[in-house]
Structures are given as structure tokens and as C-alpha cells.
Amino acid sequence: MLRFVAGRDDLLNSRFALSPIVELESLLRKLYFRRGQLPAEWSARVRPAFERLRAETPLDAVLALQGAGYGPAFVVQPPSSMTQTIDDDLAALRATPLAQARHEIEECLGHRPATDERVLAILRDRAVTSILADAMAAAWQELVAPDWPALRAVLERDVVHRGGLLSSGGWSAAFAGLHKRLRWHDGVIELQRDLGGEYDLGGAGMLLVPSVYVWPKIAAYTEPPWPKTLVYPARGTGALWEPGAGTPPDALASLLGRTRARLLVALSDPASTTQLAQSLSLAPGAVGDHLAVLRNAGLVTRARSGRSVLYRRTPLGDALAGGAGG
């Protein structure tokens, strides 16, 4: 059992953030270990590039540090904000002190020793952080960058959903349903996992990072100097991976038109025009026009949230989408 003890200041300082490099590492783990669920169409699309990257770049040095329940945190550092970019992630990796990198490399190799001399030469190189950053940069461009707008839309919608729970019911509500192995009670966050221990958040709070590719698992950062972090599966991952998910039945499509019906079904959680356009592969202008029709019909409403305008279904919209199986 893994336990995080939280005080009042921890509740004030806990926050959400997004991480492009977490998505990349989680995908690499799925492709490398061939475990976990990855849609066949996605796997067929990215696996040839993955194998080519292994042959042409130092990617195997990154993969050699991966294992069940552990990995190199200096390669995949916790993000700092909701606006984190892959350039931010790679810059942090390159700036890692050599002593920290070597410490984590030795820990990872202690779990699963590497035998490939090419890999070992890279991991012993004084420029190891730059070499691994170059490998991750190449992997990002090939494997994740084309899908990042859609992935980011899913992650942002998850945070909007969790933020709504937080404002209405506090952190206990925000943690509810985060993962089946996670629970919050009496100021303690408990995660059922083989590697246990108890950690006091010490007023710094918990960093919560939604992820598509980590699904269906959950990951945690516990060791210094990294902030205590939970990487949890984002809501809506199944709909993203299954093209048929969220497709309205013919009756609803006949009533509203197929695109408007898709939008209504997709609004199971509040979303912006941009997020809907990215997740449904539609033009933002067309989405805006269809949302205006749905709003005039009393099926959706809109409200500003920070810099975004979020649309959500009305009770009538819920009834139509729910009755249609949405």
C-alpha cells in the first residue's frame, strides 16, 4: 500500500498539470512490453515507426531503464503547469544534473541489468541526458505529435471535469473515481500497489496528471527531488481509442443531423469548441455553427471558464443523448 499524508496546506497547493512526455513514455512502454491495451489500428500505425526508431536512434537506452512499476523520473519529469510543452519537457531532461541522472540509471539497472554494450555505452556517457533527450524528441515527432491535439483535448476535458467536482465537493470528490485502486479518507491518499511506503506531502501538495496512454494503470512519483505526483487515466480514453464510441444511433442522427448528434453525445463532459473539434476531427468553425443551433434549441448551454468558453448539455440535451445511448 502506498500512502500520501495530506494536511490543510497540501489541499491548497495540490493542482492539475498536463505532460506531453508522460504520454510519450506511456506509449513507449506499451509498445516495448507489448502489455496493456492499445487499439489494433493505433498499434499498426505506430509500431513500424517505433521499430525503426529503435534501430536508428538511441531509443533502446531509454527502454532499457523501464520496468514493472519503475522508470527513470529524470527522463519523464513531472510537469509544472497545464501549458507544459514537449520543448519544456526536453529542456528539463537536458538540464538534469549528471549525478541525479546516474543515480536513477543505476537504480533502474539494478532492477533489470542491461547487456547491450551499445546501450551501456550511452548510459555511461557524460552527455547521457542530451542523448536521451534527442531520442525522446525523435520519438515524439514520429509517435505522438500527430495525435497530440486530440490527446490534449481529452486531457483538458478530464481536468475540467475534475475541477467541477473539486469546486462542488472538495478533494474527496475530485479523487472519487480517479482510479479503482485509489481512495481518499481522513486526509490520506491510499494507492493499492506492490511497492508501498508512506510519504508526507509536507505542505507542497499533490500534482495530478491525467494521461491517455497510462490507461488502465496509475503511476506515482514518490522520490526526491521530484514533486509527489499521481499519473491517472483520463476520462474519455475509451472514446478516443474506439472510433465507434460516441457515435449516435440513427434515430438521434435523423432528428438532429449526424454531426449535431455527435456533438451532443460528445458533451458528456463540458468542452470548448476547440476541444470538440480536435476530438471529433471537425473544423472549429463548423463545430461553432452546430453548437449555436443546439444552443438555440435548448440542448446545450455555454459559460466562461478561465480563458475558455465551455459548452455543456442541458437537462433536455442529457435526456436526448441518454435516451439515445450516449
Side-chain angles (χ1 to χ4, degrees), residues 98-293:
L98 182 59
Q100 179 67 32
R102 284 182 167 168
H103 170 71
E104 293 190 24
I105 288 170
E106 290 305 315
E107 282 199 334
C108 291
L109 295 181
H111 289 287
R112 189 168 68 95
T115 57
D116 187 325
E117 288 300 325
R118 181 179 71 105
V119 165
L120 289 173
I122 293 170
L123 296 178
R124 293 169 182 152
D125 196 302
R126 292 186 59 83
V128 61
T129 58
S130 293
I131 296 171
L132 298 186
D134 289 343
M136 293 295 274
W140 168 265
Q141 292 300 326
E142 294 267 3
L143 303 178
V144 180
D147 297 313
W148 179 239
L151 295 172
R152 186 180 182 89
V154 171
L155 303 179
E156 288 176 340
R157 291 184 68 181
D158 177 274
V159 173
V160 169
H161 171 75
R162 296 288 165 194
L165 294 177
L166 177 62
S167 63
S168 62
W171 280 107
S172 60
F175 273 98
L178 208 67
H179 194 273
K180 63 182 179 182
R181 292 193 286 134
L182 186 74
R183 70 169 184 158
W184 164 286
H185 72 100
D186 299 328
V188 177
I189 304 162
E190 291 186 343
L191 176 61
Q192 295 180 357
R193 58 180 293 180
D194 294 335
L195 299 176
E198 181 169 303
Y199 301 87
D200 193 322
L201 296 181
M206 174 70 76
L207 185 63
L208 299 171
V209 181
S211 169
V212 169
Y213 284 119
V214 80
W215 185 89
K217 298 183 178 182
I218 186 170
Y221 291 72
T222 60
E223 300 301 323
W226 317 117
K228 304 298 186 294
T229 304
L230 287 175
V231 180
Y232 65 92
R235 287 166 52 92
T237 295
L240 181 68
W241 282 4
E242 300 170 13
T247 300
D250 290 341
L252 186 61
S254 296
L255 177 66
L256 300 176
R258 184 157 298 276
T259 300
R260 290 170 193 160
R262 289 180 67 201
L263 287 168
L264 191 65
V265 170
L267 282 171
S268 54
D269 292 321
S272 69
T273 300
T274 301
Q275 290 166 350
L276 290 167
Q278 291 172 340
S279 61
L280 297 178
S281 298
L282 296 171
V287 170
D289 292 342
H290 288 302
L291 287 173
V293 174

Side-chain angles (χ1 to χ4, degrees), residues 58-88:
L59 187 60
D60 272 1
V62 177
L63 300 174
L65 302 177
Q66 305 293 334
Y70 67 89
F74 79 94
V75 175
V76 188
Q77 297 179 25
S80 60
S81 71
M82 289 291 295
T83 59
Q84 189 89 355
T85 68
I86 189 62
D87 289 338
D88 296 330

Side-chain angles (χ1 to χ4, degrees), residues 289-303 311 314:
D289 292 342
H290 288 302
L291 287 173
V293 174
L294 294 174
R295 183 166 171 255
N296 289 336
L299 301 180
V300 303
T301 61
R302 66 180 184 182
Y311 289 82
T314 64

